Amino acid sequence: MTIEVKNIVKKFGAFAALDNVDLKVGKGELLALLGPSGSGKTTLLRIIAGLDWPDAGEVRIDGEDALGHGASERHVGFVFQHYALFRHMTVFENVAFGLRVQPRAIRKDEATIRARVKELLDLVQLDWLANRYPSQLSGGQRQRIALARALAIEPRILLLDEPFGALDAKVRKELRQWLRSLHNEIHVTSIFVTHDQEEALEVANRVVVMDKGRIEQIGSPGDVYDNPATAFVHGFIGESIVLPVEVTGGSVRLGGRPLNIAADGAASGASKLFVRRHDMQIGPAGTGSLEGAVRHVRSFGPIQRAEVTLSGGEGKTVIEIDAPRDRELQAGEIIGLQPRRYRIFAAQE
Amino acid sequence: MPTQSSFVTPATPMRAYASTADLAISPPSHREASDRARAVASPKDLRTEPAPVRFVIIALAVTFLTVFVVLPLVVVFASAFSKGISAYFSALAEPEALSAIRLTLLVAAISVALNLVFGVIAAWAIAKFEFRGKTFLITLIDLPFSVSPVISGLVFVLLFGAQGYWGTWLQANNIHILFAVPGITLATIFVTFPFVARSLIPLMQEQGTQEEEAAISLGASGLQTFFRVTLPNIKWGLLYGVLLCNARAMGEFGAVSVVSGHIRGETNTMPLLVEILYNEYQFVASFAIASLLAMLALITLVVKTVLEQRLDEGQTPRDDPRDH
Ligand SMILES: Nc1ncnc2c1ncn2[C@@H]1O[C@H](COP(=O)(O)OP(=O)(O)O)[C@@H](O)[C@H]1O
Ligand SMILES: [Mg+2]
């Protein structure tokens, strides 16, 4: 089933939590909605699910106008950030809930319901917990039960709001892969919200980056990482070195000193140069258009991470670079630096 | 028999303080509970007072309780049985006594049932929705606790009395509210309204709307959500509110006294009859009825303690601390 969101605006008082959001999710897709806390991710999911109403815009599920229906009629599976399991029901009854509240005409008989719940508990590999209460489960288990409960109604689409947000790093990694393979198995159109870029890049086919109620970029995980559309995306996804530069004509200057790089069509004026940590080429002093003193080096695995104080220019700018360990850097050493790959964005006020 | 009530706005669930002449109710607060826990954890802190001081403090507390709580209770039962068991039961079997008991039960049943419905609706509205004038509504709910019951009764006299606002119209249509069962019921409903709402609001606020939203997104209708999700989550709190509401409804004196008209065998509730019989020097009969009210108080206390335990179990977040 497809999801189509058109020009959604949602205001809380004067504050626009969603500002003209446009989004299409294809059939069977697993889409990640990535953005910092407060960027409007939950609000967007709630509107799609029918738990909140937009001030303007359209929501279509499988081409059909969804805003004409309440949440209970939309057949949308929603996995809440804090699980929202029914605390007075056993795991079994939690999962069975959606089947038990179906209108009498289409409600299945008890045996069918039991079989279906069993099947779902098997799917999330927790059938041995059927008689426990939510309070007796670990966070990861609760999250999987919440997912099984949402899947019980055979939802047209599945919405997951930071499903692993409250879990520790290890469990999170496991569940991430598990979710990925589960999706391969059941192929329900899903939107997966996260504020963790690594999680988004790992789980999804396509990533939507949001900030301040707007969509900044939509693309494949590789795309948003390699070709960030805006300064925000560059800064939010992957670690970046950001330097204030001045673009005049085709040349780029840092603190009055020309950098030997092309402006790449960037408009003249105050700008920001974004370079990934590992895209800063290092060499002996004198090579490259930047120079700096190594302050501190930490090595782990195949890379060394160096803190470098840039010389020249106003004040002392300290940047962190990642370099391969083919030549060990020493603290105090003067090195030359040259951005290998970079992006220039106009500096916004 | 004076009746007074006071109310403390609860910060944590289940702290409706109500006292009537018949029973004093003060549920435990979580702070008290944690104080207790601390006391257990470090008993030495409490032993810093020298033994004689400790003895005096405990003795004072026990004496106070004995004089003001236990002694009156004992006196009630002693006086009730002072002429023997048969006198006690024949006093209760008097038509006037039976009529008072019947009336009290009827009024309590109606008020509790209506306040159960109103209370749940009010608490639901306040806890689960945002709307203008919400603070005002909360204040309004507390109103019956903040005015003297006599004033509450007088309001109904002003509305329905012969000289009252709607008095003429009611008389013309031959509808009896004042000095009749409807008036007594109305006054009782008014006075006992806050109990259910007040015991539910903090509980429902704490639970939030997440489970309801989950239920709705799973396809449940509004009614299904209420009966399958909301109600089971608040059932102990609701019973608690109903219990307090019932105790007050049966024990209410002030408001009922104003609207009842004291028609013998017709509009006297048990508390009113106690006073009337006492004023007529019928001590055994008076105290026999009073003993029923006292027993109601004792039963209420026991049930209340059980409910509080249930509530505490439900309250202590059963969430796994690892995840939060
Ligand atoms: N019910 C609400 N009332 C007022 N402001 C809200 C409400 N819900 C969300 N917001 C605001 O809208 C913005 C987006 O919130 P949310 O969608 O929860 O962000 P995210 O899920 O990306 O962290 C936040 O600034 C939040 O404070
Ligand atoms: Mg959120």
Side-chain angles (χ1 to χ4, degrees):
Chain A
M1 307 274 167
T2 60
I3 309 171
E4 228 177 311
V5 169
K6 283 189 198 159
N7 306 324
I8 289 284
V9 176
K10 173 71 185 176
K11 293 203 162 115
F12 292 108
F15 171 79
L18 291 177
D19 188 2
N20 231 346
V21 170
D22 248 317
L23 183 64
K24 270 187 189 169
V25 190
K27 192 167 185 304
E29 192 176 3
L30 174 53
L31 180 93
L33 203 54
L34 176 64
S37 178
S39 56
K41 308 180 298 289
T42 299
T43 307
L44 182 57
L45 281 204
R46 290 174 58 85
I47 286 174
I48 296 173
L51 297 172
D52 237 324
W53 301 87
D55 295 310
E58 260 182 71
V59 176
R60 296 190 166 273
I61 298 176
D62 223 21
E64 177 196 58
D65 176 31
L67 294 181
H69 300 278
S72 59
E73 302 159 349
R74 285 196 200 177
H75 279 280
V76 171
F78 201 115
V79 177
F80 293 82
Q81 189 168 1
H82 299 290
Y83 326 114
L85 292 175
F86 304 125
R87 70 191 87 183
H88 65 281
M89 292 182 204
T90 60
V91 162
F92 186 95
E93 285 304 322
N94 262 279
V95 177
F97 186 89
L99 302 170
R100 294 206 192 284
V101 296
Q102 280 181 332
R104 197 175 296 270
I106 57 165
R107 198 184 308 154
K108 309 197 177 45
D109 61 60
E110 182 66 19
T112 318
I113 291 179
R114 296 204 148 260
R116 174 89 182 116
V117 172
K118 170 103 181 41
E119 198 179 299
L120 283 160
L121 287 176
D122 283 341
L123 182 70
V124 298
Q125 298 153 10
L126 290 177
D127 52 324
W128 50 287
L129 291 176
N131 295 319
R132 298 249 192 115
Y133 284 90
S135 58
Q136 300 165 318
L137 307 180
S138 77
Q141 291 168 341
R142 278 182 222 177
Q143 196 53 270
R144 282 189 275 167
I145 297 303
L147 185 55
R149 181 179 70 173
L151 290 174
I153 57 168
E154 293 177 34
R156 298 193 288 170
I157 57 176
L158 185 63
L159 307 174
L160 302 113
D161 191 3
E162 307 210 16
F164 312 138
L167 306 174
D168 59 59
K170 187 166 167 292
V171 181
R172 225 161 131 148
K173 266 215 142 78
E174 284 167 16
L175 280 182
R176 214 187 270 177
Q177 283 152 13
W178 174 81
L179 178 70
R180 178 74 256 184
S181 57
L182 181 78
H183 184 262
N184 285 340
E185 208 172 311
I186 57 176
H187 268 305
V188 56
T189 309
S190 310
I191 301 183
F192 165 85
V193 164
T194 176
H195 63 253
D196 179 341
Q197 33 143 333
E198 202 188 321
E199 199 162 275
L201 299 182
E202 193 173 316
V203 173
N205 316 67
R206 221 151 52 99
V207 177
V208 175
V209 186
M210 282 186 74
D211 184 40
K212 302 201 183 85
R214 291 166 174 276
I215 291 183
E216 294 273 322
Q217 186 171 6
I218 305 181
S220 70
D223 232 20
V224 291
Y225 186 86
D226 292 329
N227 299 306
T230 64
F232 170 81
V233 177
H234 205 306
F236 187 67
I237 296 184
E239 311 265 12
S240 302
I241 299 162
V242 187
L243 295 171
V245 294
E246 184 74 28
V247 179
T248 34
S251 76
V252 182
R253 290 162 177 275
L254 173 69
R257 205 166 150 187
L259 295 179
N260 193 14
I261 56 175
D264 270 347
S268 294
S271 305
K272 278 184 173 159
L273 174 70
F274 283 78
V275 188
R276 299 265 183 228
R277 278 177 180 170
H278 56 265
D279 282 338
M280 197 60 107
Q281 173 98 44
I282 62 165
T287 63
S289 47
L290 289 165
E291 199 174 71
V294 177
R295 282 214 319 190
H296 181 76
V297 186
R298 273 173 299 153
S299 299
F300 37 86
I303 63 152
Q304 48 187 339
R305 176 163 300 170
E307 268 175 37
V308 179
T309 312
L310 293 183
S311 35
E314 72 281 5
K316 281 200 171 133
T317 313
V318 179
I319 60 173
E320 274 198 338
I321 58 166
D322 288 345
R325 293 178 70 175
D326 45 8
R327 189 173 75 85
E328 300 282 340
L329 293 171
Q330 304 295 326
E333 192 180 345
I334 305 290
I335 54 170
L337 303 135
Q338 179 65 39
R340 197 186 299 134
R341 299 184 55 194
Y342 58 89
R343 299 278 301 208
I344 297 168
F345 295 102
Q348 304 130 303
E349 297 313 313
Chain B
M1 219 188 270
T3 304
Q4 83 167 93
S5 65
S6 62
F7 194 82
V8 177
T9 307
T12 37
M14 300 301 89
R15 277 208 242 155
Y17 284 75
S19 61
T20 68
D22 302 308
L23 75 168
I25 295 166
S26 55
S29 70
H30 289 289
R31 203 166 54 77
E32 283 164 19
S34 66
D35 284 347
R36 229 178 294 134
R38 221 174 300 129
V40 171
S42 54
K44 283 206 178 99
D45 292 353
L46 287 177
R47 302 278 162 102
T48 49
E49 322 303 339
V53 176
R54 256 188 289 146
F55 177 79
V56 170
I57 292 173
I58 294 170
L60 268 177
V62 171
T63 313
F64 190 87
L65 268 177
T66 313
V67 170
F68 287 97
V69 180
V70 180
L71 217 56
L73 262 182
V74 171
V75 168
V76 167
F77 285 99
S79 311
F81 288 103
S82 61
K83 298 268 163 60
I85 290 181
S86 60
Y88 175 83
F89 282 107
S90 58
L92 289 183
E94 285 290 321
E96 227 177 298
L98 288 177
S99 136
I101 292 170
R102 259 199 307 273
L103 180 62
T104 301
L105 291 177
L106 174 72
V107 168
I110 298 175
S111 332
V112 169
L114 289 179
N115 275 336
L116 177 81
V117 176
F118 295 152
V120 168
I121 291 173
W124 174 280
I126 284 169
K128 313 255 168 176
F129 300 105
E130 290 303 323
F131 54 92
R132 241 171 248 251
K134 185 160 145 172
T135 335
F136 179 67
L137 187 60
I138 296 176
T139 315
L140 213 60
I141 287 178
D142 282 346
L143 185 73
F145 276 168
S146 47
V147 298
S148 157
V150 177
I151 309 292
S152 310
L154 276 177
V155 170
F156 289 98
V157 174
L158 284 177
L159 286 177
F160 305 118
Q163 325 296 326
Y165 206 67
W166 294 319
T168 338
W169 184 86
L170 289 172
Q171 240 163 14
N173 289 281
N174 203 20
I175 299 172
H176 301 280
I177 292 187
L178 219 55
F179 311 138
V181 177
I184 298 173
T185 313
L186 279 176
T188 308
I189 290 174
F190 180 83
V191 171
T192 58
F193 179 76
F195 285 101
V196 173
R198 261 300 166 189
S199 60
L200 289 183
I201 290 169
L203 191 65
M204 289 172 102
Q205 269 172 341
E206 188 190 67
Q207 290 176 349
T209 50
Q210 283 222 333
E211 288 184 38
E212 278 86 3
E213 287 185 342
I216 288 171
S217 80
L218 289 167
S221 67
L223 278 182
Q224 282 173 322
T225 304
F226 179 76
F227 283 108
R228 286 171 184 254
V229 176
T230 309
L231 200 57
N233 276 343
I234 58 168
K235 63 177 179 227
W236 298 118
L238 189 60
L239 271 177
Y240 187 92
V242 163
L243 181 79
L244 297 193
C245 181
N246 179 60
R248 180 66 191 270
M250 292 193 175
E252 176 55 27
F253 180 85
V256 169
S257 174
V258 175
V259 297
S260 122
H262 305 276
I263 305 168
R264 303 200 77 133
E266 265 183 55
T267 64
N268 278 330
T269 59
M270 288 162 72
L272 299 187
L273 188 62
V274 169
E275 196 209 24
I276 290 172
L277 292 174
Y278 186 85
N279 287 341
E280 292 172 353
Y281 304 106
Q282 302 190 42
F283 296 126
V284 169
S286 165
F287 280 104
I289 307 243
S291 77
L292 293 183
L293 288 171
M295 268 189 277
L296 168 74
L298 292 175
I299 293 168
T300 303
L301 276 176
V302 172
V303 179
K304 185 173 122 331
T305 312
V306 173
L307 282 180
E308 271 158 11
Q309 272 167 9
R310 277 298 167 81
L311 272 166
D312 269 352
E313 280 161 26
Q315 283 309 292
T316 37
R318 290 187 293 179
D319 287 344
D320 191 338
R322 271 174 297 173
D323 307 316
H324 294 282

